[in-house]
Amino acid sequence: MQESATASNPKNLIEGATGKWEVVIGLEVHAQVASKSKLFSGAATAFGAEPNSHVSLVDAAMPGMLPVINAECIAQAVRTGLGLNAKINLKSVFDRKNYFYPDLPQGYQISQFKQPIVGEGEIEIDADGETLTIGIERLHLEQDAGKSVHDQHPDYSYVDLNRSGVALMEIVSKPEMRSSRQAQAYVTKLRTILRYLGTSDGDMEKGNLRADVNVSVRKPGDQLGTRCEIKNVNSIRFIGQAIETEARRQIDILEAGGKIDQETRLFDPGKGETRSMRSKEEAHDYRYFPDPDLLPLELTMDFVGELEASLPELPDAKKQRFTQEFGLSDYDATVLVAERASADYFEAVASGRDGKVAANWVINELFGRLNKEGKDIADSPVSASQLGAIVDLISSNTISGKIAKDLFEIVWSEGGDPAEIVEARGMKQVTDTGAIEKAVDEIIAANPDKVEQAKAKPTMIGWFVGQVMKVSGGKANPQAVNEILKQKLGIE
């Protein structure tokens, strides 16, 4: 990995006994390719099947079985490279990475080494109060190993080969991150891009996206320190914890006069510590060589061009458009584009309406309720057209904001057409100034002491507004109530 040319934010330096230290972070993210079959066989990739039920003769490494490249996996890797503003290599080579493990039937993994399918790219992240560009070193395709299961029998380990041969994209960053927050923002943004592209579902709970985290520390301005790799971290929260734990461990060793051994470690979130797994292998330990069963992969510019033309609008472009087209704040646009489904939902609600009002309802009411109930936007009981109808009823002054919240609750729980519900249940806002004036007169007459207080302190008008709204069952038009009260109380 090449060192970043970017300077570290002084706020990210870690205080040690001998002064300040800088943490240097690089990530190798393994994302499962979204495809129905494996990288070199026709076996299914669906999650949750019975052990060893999705295994072809190729996956099980039966003698004489030859790999055949899955064209869709190649296309998905190219789409991802394009989404990362990366160089697409028209010629790439599959190599054998040789090592022995019980859940690797072939005794080697088919991967890519010197000639990957995707070269250098970049991701823009927002972290630590600034916008940073993090370099991508490469993206290569490789097949996943199987899974060893150690808790089914007191004397034996079982092997499940359902994952054996599943296509992975390994996306390697440059060591340009300088805090755990930057690393978390990087993985979050990368996951969002993959999901927008449809090239990986990024489901960390299923193991479809996991990160190897490379951590080293140094005094600011010094040469890069010896790095340790923390393997298979499977949540964004754990990535942050693992970096902070490992950085502190290395600082403590160096300040005590020790040295850091280059090794592979595991993070134990329960104990809040990293522990040694094995000494870190170098590339020559794997004896890479081109796979003799697979010809070099050669792509055409036309193939790449067709894929590029079919890419969706990506989160950065969508965020910029939302701020310009709908006048949204940077924060609101960021929240809305975090998931493609959320952005699509908002856009359907905002179409032909006030974008800021639509964003307010989507973020505060809808997302708030979805989070409270642990639901995904795909499972929302309130559709975009229903929420849009509620916004229409507010903008036409048919209902007040308070009534709208009651209406949202009804639609969430019972469904139905918002306009019909308002009509059937008598929820329309009272805009008849005569009726409002009558209520105002009665409240003023009954509260002469409050009237004097309001004349002395105009903010007291809020108490009167509350009383009128209470009498009207929340149906009085708040704007009309305010205007009539100001007039009656002689308040400017």
Side-chain angles (χ1 to χ4, degrees):
M1 290 184 176
Q2 294 299 309
E3 183 180 354
S4 164
T6 57
S8 180
N9 185 330
K11 291 187 292 185
N12 293 329
L13 298 178
I14 302 169
E15 196 69 55
T18 60
K20 295 183 184 295
W21 294 81
E22 180 180 57
V23 62
V24 177
I25 305 154
L27 293 172
E28 299 166 18
V29 174
H30 296 81
Q32 180 173 324
V33 176
S35 65
K36 291 180 179 176
S37 54
K38 297 182 181 180
L39 183 54
F40 298 115
S41 84
T45 58
F47 179 79
E50 286 295 311
N52 297 307
S53 60
H54 290 169
V55 186
S56 76
L57 297 175
V58 173
D59 308 322
M62 290 294 145
M65 294 297 104
L66 297 175
V68 177
I69 294 176
N70 180 339
E72 179 58 16
C73 293
I74 302 301
Q76 294 286 55
V78 172
R79 288 185 189 103
T80 303
L82 292 167
L84 299 175
N85 298 312
K87 178 178 184 287
I88 307 301
N89 295 323
L90 297 181
K91 182 174 180 179
S92 60
V93 174
F94 282 102
D95 299 279
R96 288 190 182 180
K97 179 181 181 180
N98 296 274
Y99 64 97
F100 174 79
Y101 207 72
D103 56 22
L104 190 72
Q106 294 155 311
Y108 59 84
Q109 177 190 38
I110 302 178
S111 181
Q112 293 186 308
F113 181 42
K114 289 185 177 176
Q115 292 179 270
I117 190 166
V118 175
E120 292 192 344
E122 61 186 24
I123 289 181
E124 200 172 84
I125 64 168
D126 293 307
D128 297 327
E130 54 188 337
T131 299
L132 304 165
T133 300
I134 306 299
I136 304 287
E137 191 168 286
R138 57 188 277 141
L139 176 158
H140 65 257
L141 278 169
E142 62 186 25
Q143 54 180 180
D144 204 354
K147 179 182 178 184
S148 294
V149 183
H150 305 296
D151 58 358
Q152 303 289 310
H153 193 281
D155 301 319
Y156 304 107
S157 290
Y158 291 176
V159 173
D160 178 6
L161 295 181
N162 279 349
R163 288 194 69 88
S164 176
V166 165
L168 300 178
M169 294 179 285
E170 181 171 338
I171 302 160
V172 182
S173 83
K174 295 183 178 180
E176 295 182 347
M177 287 159 274
R178 295 292 181 267
S179 74
S180 59
R181 294 171 301 281
Q182 290 178 18
Q184 289 175 309
Y186 170 88
V187 176
T188 301
K189 184 65 168 289
L190 175 58
R191 182 174 177 269
T192 298
I193 291 169
L194 294 172
R195 287 164 70 94
Y196 263 74
L197 291 167
T199 55
S200 175
D201 66 14
D203 192 328
M204 299 185 88
E205 287 185 13
K206 293 179 181 175
N208 294 354
L209 189 135
R210 49 196 194 267
D212 296 341
V213 186
N214 288 288
V215 178
S216 66
V217 296
R218 64 179 176 183
K219 287 295 180 75
D222 283 0
Q223 294 293 312
L224 287 174
T226 301
R227 74 179 190 269
C228 292
E229 180 183 39
I230 307 162
K231 292 290 285 186
N232 288 332
V233 189
N234 66 350
S235 92
I236 289 169
R237 182 162 58 95
F238 290 164
I239 286 169
Q241 291 174 0
I243 290 167
E244 290 177 16
T245 301
E246 178 61 18
R248 177 54 61 187
R249 183 190 75 87
Q250 292 184 22
I251 290 168
D252 290 347
I253 289 172
L254 292 169
E255 290 191 326
K259 71 179 188 70
I260 304 301
D261 295 323
Q262 184 166 329
E263 62 182 348
T264 300
R265 300 180 69 85
L266 289 173
F267 175 62
D268 184 334
K271 294 182 179 177
E273 64 182 25
T274 65
R275 61 174 184 269
S276 184
M277 183 180 171
R278 60 176 183 262
S279 63
K280 173 66 179 168
E281 298 89 345
E282 299 292 347
H284 59 77
D285 293 326
Y286 291 120
R287 305 188 319 280
Y288 280 100
F289 63 87
D291 191 299
D293 294 330
L294 291 162
L295 290 169
L297 182 64
E298 296 190 359
L299 309 177
T300 65
M301 285 298 295
D302 286 347
F303 174 75
V304 174
E306 284 174 19
L307 292 175
E308 188 168 20
S310 67
L311 293 183
E313 183 181 39
L314 291 172
D316 286 345
K318 197 176 284 287
K319 176 182 167 183
Q320 186 177 12
R321 181 169 63 80
F322 280 6
T323 56
Q324 292 173 350
E325 192 174 315
F326 299 111
L328 302 186
S329 68
D330 187 77
Y331 173 81
D332 283 354
T334 300
V335 171
L336 290 167
V337 304
E339 292 286 347
R340 187 175 176 180
S342 300
D344 290 345
Y345 186 105
F346 161 73
E347 202 153 6
V349 175
S351 179
R353 302 182 178 97
D354 185 311
K356 291 181 181 177
V357 174
N360 184 48
W361 273 88
V362 171
I363 293 170
N364 296 327
E365 298 303 323
L366 183 77
F367 288 0
R369 188 59 182 273
L370 289 171
N371 289 338
K372 185 180 173 185
E373 302 208 4
K375 289 180 182 287
D376 191 80
I377 194 156
D379 306 316
S380 170
V382 179
S383 69
S385 61
Q386 286 172 318
L387 191 57
I390 293 173
V391 172
D392 287 340
L393 290 165
I394 299 167
S395 62
S396 65
N397 282 326
T398 304
I399 60 174
S400 66
K402 182 182 180 305
I403 295 171
K405 291 189 178 185
D406 296 337
L407 177 59
F408 178 85
E409 184 62 38
I410 294 166
V411 175
W412 179 281
S413 305
E414 303 171 24
D417 179 87
E420 290 175 6
I421 292 169
V422 166
E423 195 68 49
R425 303 197 187 191
M427 298 172 75
K428 281 188 177 178
Q429 185 168 237
V430 176
T431 52
D432 175 5
T433 53
I436 294 172
E437 196 168 349
K438 183 172 179 289
V440 167
D441 286 340
E442 288 173 358
I443 290 164
I444 286 175
N447 297 278
D449 55 330
K450 299 278 188 187
V451 171
E452 292 307 311
Q453 290 175 30
K455 286 179 178 178
K457 189 180 179 185
T459 53
M460 271 292 293
I461 197 172
W463 182 84
F464 286 95
V465 173
Q467 293 302 305
V468 177
M469 296 305 288
K470 193 173 177 182
V471 167
S472 70
K475 292 180 186 175
N477 182 315
Q479 193 177 351
V481 172
N482 262 292
E483 287 172 3
I484 290 169
L485 275 166
K486 284 178 181 177
Q487 181 189 338
K488 297 276 185 183
L489 295 171
I491 295 172
E492 288 298 322

